[in-house]
Amino acid sequence: MAFPQPKPQAPQLPQHLLRTIDCQQGAVRAVRFNADGNYVLSCGSDKSLKLWSVSQGTFLKTYSGHGYEVLDADGSYDNSQICSCSSDKSVILWDVATGQVTRKLRGHAGKVNCVQFNEEATVILSGSIDGTVRCWDTRSRRFEPIQVLDEARDSISSLKVAQHELLTGSVDGRVRRYDLRMGQLHVDFVNSPITCVCFSQDGQCTLSSSLDSTVRLLDKSTGEMLGEFTGHKMKGYKLDCCLSSKDTHVLSCSEDGFVYCWDLVEVCSPLCFKVLNTRLINTFVMVSSRNEYASAGGRCRRLIFMFSLYEKLKE
Amino acid sequence: NMARDDDGDEDFVTFGTALEPLEDGRPLRKPIPLHEQTVKDEKGRYQRFHGAFTGGFSAGYFNTVGSKEGWTPSTFVSSRQQKADKHHARPEDFMDEEDFGEHGIAPRQITTSLEFSSSRRDEAAERAKAVGAQAALIPGDTLLEELISPAKSSIGVELLRRMGWREGQGVGPRVKRKPRRQQQAGGTKAYGCMLPPAGSEDSEDEYEEFAPDNVTFAPKDVTPVDFSPRLGVQGLGYRGLDPGLALLGRGADEHIDLFRPQSESRSRLFGDARSSVRRGGVAGQAFGVGALEDDDEDVYHRDSMSRYDTVLGGEEPGDGLFGWTAPQQYTKKKDKSKDASYLGKILEGFTLAQNPPEEKVIFPPPALPSNYRPVHRFRPQVDVSRLSGVSPALAQALKTSRGHMIKEDPQQEGRHQLDSGQRRTMLGEDALKGETHSSGFYAGSDVDICMDHHLFRCDLRPAENKSQVAKQDLLVGVAPPPSGLQQQQKVLAAWRGSNASTQTFKPFEKTPSKQARYDLYLDRLRQGDTDALEQSLDQTMTEWERSREREEFVRASVLYRPSSSSLSSRFTSAKHKEDEDSVEVNRDEEGDVDDKQNAVKMKMFGKLTRETFEWHPDKLLCKRFNVPDPHPGSGVVGLPKVKRDKFSVFNFLSVMESREMAGGSTQGVLVSEQSHGLDLQSSEKKTAGDEEEQQEEDEEQEEEESRPSMDLFKAIFASSSDEKSSSSSEESNDEEDRKDKEEGKTDLQPANLFTITTSSVTTSSVTTSSVTTSSVTTSSVTTSSVTASSVTTSSVTTSSVTTSSVTTSSAITSNSHTGAGCSAHPTACVRVRVCVCVCVCVCVCVCVVENLSSSLLFPGAASYQKSAQEELEFGPKLPPPSTPAGEHRPPPSSTIIANTSTARLLSR
């Protein structure tokens, strides 16, 4: 006997501020959840990378070793390793427990904007301002990348890995999807510098925000546009966007300090909520399993904010 | 809510005891100091550790290294009063107290090694023991063993019990009723040594029909075989006196089974149901004839070979000893499922084959004919070409029928006359780098740096050059000879005749004047100038400087002389040379950005903005991502690249475009190399004047004289084979224009003729029309414009395609050039445009010829070509809802024609 599917919930703004953490590491360049959402990594402009517990809000560890501000980080699936990238052109693989540098990977010609593990943390993929994505092997002792993807004509601003696919967004206005299984490269032209790309949770769509103040939801297989989300302001800063855990909402940072939230299907005027006192939110990530958001304000504030979408569950 | 969050820490309930906060510095537990780690024996004495391999804790005598006698070993002392008693050393003399204890190696107390009990006996084991005892030295000697039975069962029995086995059952998968019955039936048939069927089994047999199908039974127990060694000195097949014989009245059999000596005796022991009648009495091979014996037939035991088996394993053993030989392969039973029960558990998802695999029939090889000789003789070759009076058709037929009968090459006599180079070409192998066949050490064309002669010398140089090698060692700077003259001769010999165009190493690159002098020196060396050194030196320099430079030059020329061919064949040249004439370009290039920008503006994402390329991930990357290599075997990584001529027109075209764009001139041909080919973006919008036509014709003559070299044409036409003409959409547009012209010939705009596409189209249409002899269109077009007439005449008169296209294009380019704003390099522009127009004309001519054949017949075909082409580019598409105005919907056959022609167009 099949029960009817529960009705989809009406869009709810995250209203419950879980925690505000003062990172004390200058401007927070990025904030990233770990694989299960229990921990948060914050990348600071004071060359440090910090690990926080979400539930307790406590500081756990500092990873210092970068020579310039840390721009992005990612945790491996088993929480044993962290990779981070920095303006010092290097990518560092950290051991989580000891805080030691396992490997320092140099090769990029400019600052490294984004970094990501693959699913089994066997490869680190890093995208740089030099327009290349480098695939580093974590298994071997080789210090050269396995492969350099130099198809982009401008800086790689964002990079995501899902199973056998690699999605890159570049300032040359193209979203590239490398399909390793098919051996194909799909290039979607957006005509505006891409700031952030991500896969949808079901893996069928790609979300890309670009500097024409638009977030676009593109079909992965055909490249057709499924949705276009406007209303926010994204003109010059590299701000993040993401999809909610059930692919129901599209969220994007905006230069006016708000986080904009659109319903995925009914693309009407966005709902937006303002993060405390900040003038600019540059990072906004979402942990998929628990509907928790983290946002970090760079430039002017040094805080991580975390929200819970469903406040009733918390009450 | 917000207020609550400020003191959010109190919301949490913490369970358990928190760990102590990690503090650096103090370790958690103090290790026990070394002097407190002591060992005492059971009497409380301290024991000293003497070393793991030198006695452990109990070395020596009472914890000393001495003996009972003290430090000194005992000496042999014997006197007449006191005889020294003989002292036998026993192992115990060298043992410690602990060794005699309960856990020592030689315990003094009697201990049981196993627990014992008087539990239920294992009947099968007893049976086996009894059987084994029959062959023992004293028959039936199991009594002592039966007296004490260990309570502890072995680990195998324990494991079996855990797996569900119970005593009395056999081991193996449970069987159904039916095979088991057959097994019993087979057993009775076999050589007579069957166990008496137990009562329980009988009852099972009785109630067999009541047993449901799904009930399985454990297999029958198997009596283990006791491989007892033969201990006695008796011969093979000896049996002692058999008590069973006397008691049960059965005697030994006639047949002796050497492989199962117990089987008979066991059958005797447990009562065989055989009908053989024997007389009573004890029989066997023993010590003579008993007093009660009647006759003495067995006293002198005579053996006969008939009592032994002569064939191994001929009979199926019916005694249930399935385990220790492989009896099943000898059975002829139909039921193969019985085999399965002994194969163990069948793998999941598999079933046993019902039919045995068909045996491969191997036919004997055919018998050779008697006159066969295993040597093949080729028929004598017939040189057809030399045969006079043979018609060419016959020669061709002979050629094809005989294959390689005709000698193409006079040197190619046969297989054995070929040299390695010819064989290589026949096999299609690549030529080796460097000259492999050159025997001389200096004969080489490549110039390489011989970095370390000592390293490569021994195995690389041919043997006949050993003396040269020795000299060379002297030269290369280990010990330079005092006179430079000999050295110079050597250098001259090395450099003479070497290829001047090959890249040489520049040792004096930092001082250009010196390098120039060195280059001069090398040039003279190559020409074979004997006093090259003196001539190339600067006379203005001082004598000391000159002598120094002379030395340097000679040394450098020795060091960087053209290397030997054998050496150069061992090295590969650099993968990427700076001065190479070709560059690697991505094979698939991105399409037009303008189109995509328009598509993005119109929010038409999808086919217009999506591009898909073939991409080759690295093999290791695929492995790390747990993905099979999508392009196995391809050595390419990344986007596949093709080599293009570095100085090809296509590489200049984009430069031209940007230059003209920067100049802001809208005239001329804007050709960009995008998506495999030429793309005519805009056309000339200039009106033509008479004086310009004059100029144009003048320049046409000039251009014909300064015709580009054939290499340029080759570069163009060779690369145009794989090009997909993306300009076809424009062409179809132009075709529509042209069609309009043809329909209303009077309102032909002369301005249009100056665009390249239109003019070329007209040219081609003229050619086609001249071919198809529809002179009406020709005349109309020619009368419409003066320029067009000149074009047509040229194209009609000239026979070869290239010449005509050159002339037409030169006319057009000169025309466009005269009004040009291209100020920077006019001659270069002209050259480039000539090439462009050649290409455009040829391409467009050919495709328009094809297109015309359809579009002339059906006026609407051109538009359909466009749609069909779009379909090819972007995938299937629904037919347009309404045809554009002024065009009829063509019959379906025309669409097909259009499709095929477009396909051909694209493939071109």
Side-chain angles (χ1 to χ4, degrees):
Chain A
M1 167 145 186
F3 289 100
Q5 290 290 318
K7 265 180 77 175
Q9 285 193 336
Q12 273 181 308
L13 286 177
Q15 289 165 357
H16 177 74
L17 177 65
L18 261 188
R19 201 169 305 285
T20 303
I21 300 170
D22 188 358
C23 294
Q24 294 178 340
Q25 50 181 167
V28 180
R29 290 295 180 227
V31 51
R32 299 281 180 255
F33 278 111
N34 77 327
D36 56 359
N38 285 324
Y39 301 96
V40 157
L41 287 162
S42 63
C43 308
S45 59
D46 69 340
K47 313 172 191 175
S48 71
L49 177 72
K50 286 188 176 179
L51 180 67
W52 307 86
S53 159
V54 170
S55 57
Q56 304 261 335
T58 48
F59 164 71
L60 295 176
K61 206 161 189 68
T62 303
Y63 300 92
S64 49
H66 273 297
Y68 209 63
E69 58 179 5
V70 186
L71 292 178
D72 196 4
D74 190 25
S76 68
Y77 72 102
D78 56 353
N79 295 333
S80 67
Q81 287 175 319
I82 293 173
C83 60
S84 66
C85 61
S86 161
S87 295
D88 63 357
K89 311 177 190 176
S90 70
V91 176
I92 292 186
L93 181 67
W94 306 88
D95 186 65
V96 170
T98 62
Q100 297 297 310
V101 175
T102 309
R103 203 158 300 172
K104 194 161 188 175
L105 306 161
R106 298 171 190 277
H108 279 296
K111 63 178 188 178
V112 190
N113 282 329
C114 43
V115 72
Q116 192 97 15
F117 275 117
N118 74 333
E119 212 166 10
E120 296 178 344
T122 52
V123 178
I124 298 174
L125 298 127
S126 61
S128 160
I129 203 169
D130 63 359
T132 61
V133 173
R134 279 166 203 260
C135 314
W136 310 92
D137 194 357
T138 62
R139 291 281 177 85
S140 73
R141 300 299 247 158
R142 224 165 53 138
F143 282 91
E144 289 82 40
I146 304 174
Q147 190 172 1
V148 180
L149 317 176
D150 53 355
E151 281 79 23
R153 289 158 189 194
D154 209 331
S155 161
I156 303 284
S157 58
S158 178
L159 179 150
K160 289 288 182 321
V161 185
Q163 290 174 352
H164 58 273
E165 286 174 322
L166 169 64
L167 190 70
T168 64
S170 170
V171 182
D172 63 4
R174 287 169 180 85
V175 178
R176 291 180 173 81
R177 182 166 62 87
Y178 298 87
D179 194 332
L180 270 89
R181 193 179 282 278
M182 300 296 294
Q184 281 178 331
L185 163 65
H186 304 279
V187 182
D188 284 323
F189 185 73
V190 181
N191 197 22
S192 176
I194 309 288
T195 61
C196 182
V197 288
C198 54
F199 284 107
S200 62
Q201 312 294 340
D202 62 353
Q204 299 299 313
C205 310
T206 62
L207 191 74
S208 58
S209 61
S210 52
L211 282 189
D212 53 356
S213 298
T214 313
V215 178
R216 291 183 180 87
L217 186 74
L218 301 179
D219 187 75
K220 197 180 80 175
S221 54
T222 63
E224 285 165 8
M225 190 166 72
L226 304 176
E228 189 178 34
F229 308 97
T230 52
H232 63 299
K233 186 185 171 205
M234 195 187 286
K235 292 287 183 195
Y237 291 102
K238 181 196 171 303
L239 306 179
D240 284 357
C241 63
C242 67
L243 275 160
S244 68
S245 61
K246 301 259 167 56
D247 285 338
T248 53
H249 292 90
V250 173
L251 296 114
S252 172
C253 306
S254 173
E255 287 176 15
D256 54 10
F258 286 94
V259 172
Y260 282 68
C261 176
W262 296 269
D263 192 276
L264 185 88
V265 184
E266 298 162 18
V267 188
C268 49
S269 60
L271 306 153
C272 54
F273 54 94
K274 188 157 175 125
V275 176
L276 286 180
N277 294 332
T278 48
R279 292 209 301 274
L280 183 61
I281 299 294
N282 71 339
T283 278
F284 196 81
V285 287
M286 154 105 206
V287 54
S288 56
S289 57
R290 298 196 303 194
N291 283 311
E292 282 178 344
Y293 298 85
S295 64
R299 326 289 174 196
C300 58
R301 297 287 289 187
R302 344 177 137 174
L303 303 173
I304 294 180
F305 306 99
M306 267 174 280
F307 295 89
S308 165
L309 185 59
Y310 298 115
E311 87 175 302
K312 279 179 186 169
L313 287 180
K314 287 284 173 188
E315 289 287 45
Chain B
N1 274 337
M2 295 297 177
R4 198 177 136 267
D5 280 307
D6 292 334
D7 50 357
D9 287 11
E10 296 167 7
D11 295 344
F12 294 101
V13 180
T14 314
F15 292 103
T17 315
L19 286 173
E20 282 181 27
L22 281 175
E23 289 175 34
D24 296 337
R26 189 172 56 87
L28 283 178
R29 198 175 292 169
K30 264 187 192 167
I32 303 165
L34 204 65
H35 63 271
E36 286 180 19
Q37 300 179 16
T38 53
V39 175
K40 292 176 184 173
D41 62 359
E42 59 270 350
K43 287 174 186 166
R45 295 175 297 197
Y46 283 109
Q47 285 198 305
R48 204 174 70 188
F49 188 65
H50 299 277
F53 299 104
T54 51
F57 282 108
S58 58
Y61 181 75
F62 283 98
N63 217 8
T64 68
V65 289
S67 60
K68 189 174 185 180
E69 287 80 19
W71 277 98
T72 52
S74 60
T75 50
F76 181 76
V77 179
S78 178
S79 65
R80 210 175 287 164
Q81 284 78 26
Q82 270 193 317
K83 292 273 186 187
D85 40 339
K86 221 172 188 178
H87 181 253
H88 291 284
R90 293 174 302 140
E92 284 80 8
D93 292 341
F94 303 99
M95 285 184 183
D96 291 319
E97 273 177 58
E98 298 90 4
D99 295 334
F100 303 122
E102 194 179 353
H103 305 292
I105 53 172
R108 286 277 164 86
Q109 294 93 1
I110 294 174
T111 52
T112 56
S113 59
L114 291 169
E115 288 179 40
F116 292 94
S117 73
S118 57
S119 66
R120 197 177 75 87
R121 290 171 176 181
D122 187 3
E123 287 175 12
E126 272 174 29
R127 244 183 273 157
K129 248 179 229 165
V131 167
Q134 291 300 313
L137 200 57
I138 306 167
D141 185 20
T142 61
L143 298 171
L144 197 63
E145 291 171 33
E146 282 167 6
L147 210 62
I148 309 159
S149 64
K152 206 174 95 184
S153 52
S154 66
I155 184 68
V157 175
E158 284 293 319
L159 282 173
L160 279 172
R161 277 212 189 97
R162 293 281 173 86
M163 290 161 71
W165 173 81
R166 265 168 288 169
E167 286 179 23
Q169 288 181 352
V171 180
R174 296 175 75 81
V175 291
K176 292 227 167 187
R177 161 65 56 192
K178 207 172 179 186
R180 193 170 156 185
R181 273 190 74 215
Q182 281 188 356
Q183 178 184 327
Q184 285 181 359
T188 53
K189 255 183 256 166
Y191 183 72
C193 42
M194 191 56 214
L195 282 173
S200 60
E201 287 175 354
D202 282 340
S203 63
E204 278 174 11
D205 283 343
E206 284 170 19
Y207 299 115
E208 178 198 31
E209 57 265 26
F210 303 112
D213 284 343
N214 53 359
V215 172
T216 55
F217 296 92
K220 202 172 146 189
D221 197 6
V222 171
T223 310
V225 181
D226 191 12
F227 292 96
S228 55
R230 179 159 284 278
L231 296 168
V233 292
Q234 298 89 1
L236 207 62
Y238 166 79
R239 290 176 306 237
L241 284 175
D242 195 349
L245 203 65
L247 299 173
L248 300 173
R250 291 188 192 106
D253 200 358
E254 303 82 34
H255 195 92
I256 297 166
D257 194 355
L258 287 179
F259 303 101
R260 289 180 298 276
Q262 308 97 320
S263 58
E264 287 173 61
S265 48
R266 181 177 50 169
S267 66
R268 255 176 268 128
L269 188 69
F270 295 111
D272 202 346
R274 263 193 295 149
S275 57
S276 70
V277 180
R278 291 282 301 188
R279 58 195 162 74
V282 177
Q285 297 161 11
F287 313 107
V289 188
L292 303 172
E293 290 295 309
D294 294 336
D295 48 0
D296 51 359
E297 56 170 354
D298 281 331
V299 174
Y300 303 106
H301 181 72
R302 281 186 300 273
D303 225 355
S304 69
M305 288 307 290
S306 63
R307 292 170 44 166
Y308 293 93
D309 281 326
T310 52
V311 181
L312 260 182
E315 277 178 304
E316 193 237 346
D319 53 357
L321 296 176
F322 291 108
W324 70 285
T325 55
Q328 294 302 307
Q329 61 191 3
Y330 302 115
T331 59
K332 299 283 186 282
K333 287 189 179 172
K334 294 281 193 292
D335 192 6
K336 294 284 180 184
S337 66
K338 196 175 167 190
D339 293 348
S341 61
Y342 290 97
L343 287 175
K345 202 179 175 192
I346 301 172
L347 279 177
E348 206 156 312
F350 285 85
T351 53
L352 281 177
Q354 294 297 320
N355 304 319
E358 283 187 23
E359 289 202 7
K360 212 180 205 173
V361 182
I362 299 172
F363 295 101
L368 290 172
S370 56
N371 57 351
Y372 173 75
R373 281 182 306 158
V375 178
H376 182 65
R377 293 194 188 283
F378 291 96
R379 277 187 283 176
Q381 296 175 355
V382 184
D383 194 347
V384 182
S385 59
R386 285 185 191 164
L387 290 176
S388 58
V390 175
S391 70
L394 179 61
Q396 187 62 38
L398 275 172
K399 205 172 182 176
T400 52
S401 65
R402 292 256 173 90
H404 294 288
M405 274 306 171
I406 301 169
K407 283 194 288 184
E408 313 272 9
D409 190 352
Q411 293 171 349
Q412 200 171 326
E413 294 285 334
R415 185 160 64 96
H416 299 288
Q417 274 76 25
L418 289 175
D419 65 358
S420 62
Q422 285 167 317
R423 257 181 254 125
R424 183 184 65 216
T425 50
M426 284 169 75
L427 291 170
E429 288 176 351
D430 291 335
L432 281 177
K433 298 277 172 62
E435 295 179 38
T436 51
H437 58 270
S438 69
S439 55
F441 182 67
Y442 297 119
S445 60
D446 292 353
V447 179
D448 264 15
I449 307 170
C450 310
M451 292 296 283
D452 196 345
H453 290 267
H454 305 280
L455 254 177
F456 301 115
R457 188 187 58 224
C458 42
D459 57 335
L460 295 186
R461 293 180 187 174
E464 63 260 39
N465 287 329
K466 276 281 154 67
S467 59
Q468 275 183 329
V469 166
K471 281 180 203 161
Q472 205 61 38
D473 281 343
L474 288 176
L475 288 180
V476 174
V478 182
S483 80
L485 204 63
Q486 192 190 353
Q487 204 170 354
Q488 285 181 34
Q489 291 299 324
K490 289 281 175 197
V491 169
L492 190 61
W495 282 89
R496 188 203 295 267
S498 70
N499 197 358
S501 66
T502 52
Q503 186 67 23
T504 57
F505 185 71
K506 289 185 166 57
F508 309 110
E509 213 158 18
K510 285 180 181 169
T511 49
S513 61
K514 198 173 178 183
Q515 177 66 39
R517 283 198 296 277
Y518 180 67
D519 287 344
L520 184 68
Y521 165 63
L522 286 188
D523 281 344
R524 293 214 164 120
L525 273 185
R526 286 193 192 103
Q527 288 158 14
D529 206 342
T530 45
D531 54 348
L533 194 57
E534 293 304 319
Q535 286 185 1
S536 52
L537 290 182
D538 191 4
Q539 300 300 324
T540 58
M541 289 197 295
T542 63
E543 182 62 33
W544 182 79
E545 280 175 330
R546 255 185 287 167
S547 65
R548 190 185 162 82
E549 205 168 275
R550 199 178 296 142
E551 211 167 280
E552 279 179 353
F553 279 8
V554 169
R555 194 174 295 158
S557 57
V558 167
L559 202 59
Y560 307 122
R561 69 169 188 275
S563 73
S564 78
S565 60
S566 55
L567 254 186
S568 62
S569 67
R570 299 280 172 133
F571 294 97
T572 56
S573 53
K575 283 276 187 283
H576 183 70
K577 275 189 188 171
E578 283 298 318
D579 58 340
E580 222 168 290
D581 282 345
S582 57
V583 286
E584 288 205 329
V585 189
N586 280 349
R587 195 185 67 191
D588 309 313
E589 291 214 14
E590 216 176 331
D592 192 3
V593 183
D594 284 344
D595 289 349
K596 288 195 219 161
Q597 279 173 347
N598 290 333
V600 169
K601 265 178 209 159
M602 293 159 71
K603 298 188 178 175
M604 289 169 66
F605 284 89
K607 288 163 189 163
L608 293 174
T609 59
R610 161 66 63 102
E611 268 177 308
T612 300
F613 305 103
E614 186 183 325
W615 177 68
H616 296 249
D618 194 276
K619 234 176 159 180
L620 184 61
L621 193 66
C622 291
K623 201 175 154 191
R624 291 280 183 263
F625 271 80
N626 284 333
V627 161
D629 195 352
H631 307 286
S634 80
V636 191
V637 171
L639 294 178
K641 308 213 171 196
V642 285
K643 280 216 167 179
R644 289 253 175 92
D645 200 0
K646 196 176 189 178
F647 304 110
S648 146
V649 253
F650 301 110
N651 297 334
F652 281 119
L653 291 177
S654 50
V655 178
M656 281 301 304
E657 175 198 25
S658 59
R659 191 181 290 161
E660 281 179 330
M661 288 286 233
S665 69
T666 53
Q667 67 87 37
V669 200
L670 291 181
V671 183
S672 67
E673 184 207 2
Q674 268 169 1
S675 84
H676 318 276
L678 299 168
D679 196 359
L680 301 176
Q681 288 192 336
S682 72
S683 54
E684 200 175 350
K685 297 185 175 56
K686 205 167 71 65
T687 56
D690 284 338
E691 65 280 355
E692 281 172 0
E693 287 162 20
Q694 283 298 325
Q695 278 184 356
E696 170 194 311
E697 281 184 1
D698 290 344
E699 286 188 15
E700 181 183 333
Q701 300 297 324
E702 289 172 17
E703 289 295 326
E704 257 189 305
E705 283 161 14
S706 65
R707 193 176 148 188
S709 67
M710 277 310 287
D711 292 347
L712 195 53
F713 287 109
K714 272 182 192 165
I716 293 163
F717 295 120
S719 57
S720 68
S721 62
D722 56 346
E723 276 167 10
K724 192 171 69 177
S725 170
S726 71
S727 63
S728 47
S729 59
E730 275 96 349
E731 281 164 25
S732 52
N733 281 331
D734 292 326
E735 276 174 23
E736 287 174 39
D737 291 348
R738 188 193 43 73
K739 225 174 333 96
D740 290 339
K741 270 181 280 168
E742 285 177 357
E743 284 166 353
K745 282 144 194 159
T746 47
D747 51 15
L748 184 70
Q749 293 172 354
N752 270 344
L753 280 175
F754 285 94
T755 70
I756 278 196
T757 47
T758 325
S759 59
S760 59
V761 163
T762 44
T763 319
S764 58
S765 69
V766 165
T767 50
T768 43
S769 56
S770 62
V771 166
T772 54
T773 66
S774 68
S775 60
V776 183
T777 52
T778 323
S779 61
S780 67
V781 171
T782 43
T783 47
S784 63
S785 165
V786 185
T787 54
S789 69
S790 72
V791 166
T792 48
T793 45
S794 67
S795 61
V796 166
T797 48
T798 49
S799 56
S800 76
V801 181
T802 50
T803 345
S804 68
S805 55
V806 163
T807 49
T808 48
S809 59
S810 61
I812 293 153
T813 40
S814 58
N815 180 24
S816 59
H817 175 60
T818 44
C822 176
S823 57
H825 297 288
T827 52
C829 287
V830 168
R831 271 193 63 197
V832 168
R833 285 211 194 101
V834 167
C835 319
V836 168
C837 299
V838 166
C839 207
V840 167
C841 288
V842 173
C843 290
V844 172
C845 277
V846 180
C847 39
V848 168
V849 166
E850 289 175 357
N851 292 345
L852 267 181
S853 57
S854 59
S855 60
L856 279 176
L857 293 171
F858 307 107
S863 68
Y864 265 79
Q865 280 178 7
K866 190 180 177 183
S867 65
Q869 181 210 339
E870 277 179 0
E871 194 168 312
L872 276 173
E873 281 180 0
F874 303 125
K877 198 169 153 186
L878 288 173
S882 62
T883 48
E887 286 179 0
H888 341 286
R889 186 179 287 273
S893 61
S894 72
T895 333
I896 294 163
I897 292 166
N899 261 324
T900 51
S901 64
T902 328
R904 257 178 284 157
L905 189 83
L906 287 171
S907 68
R908 188 168 291 113

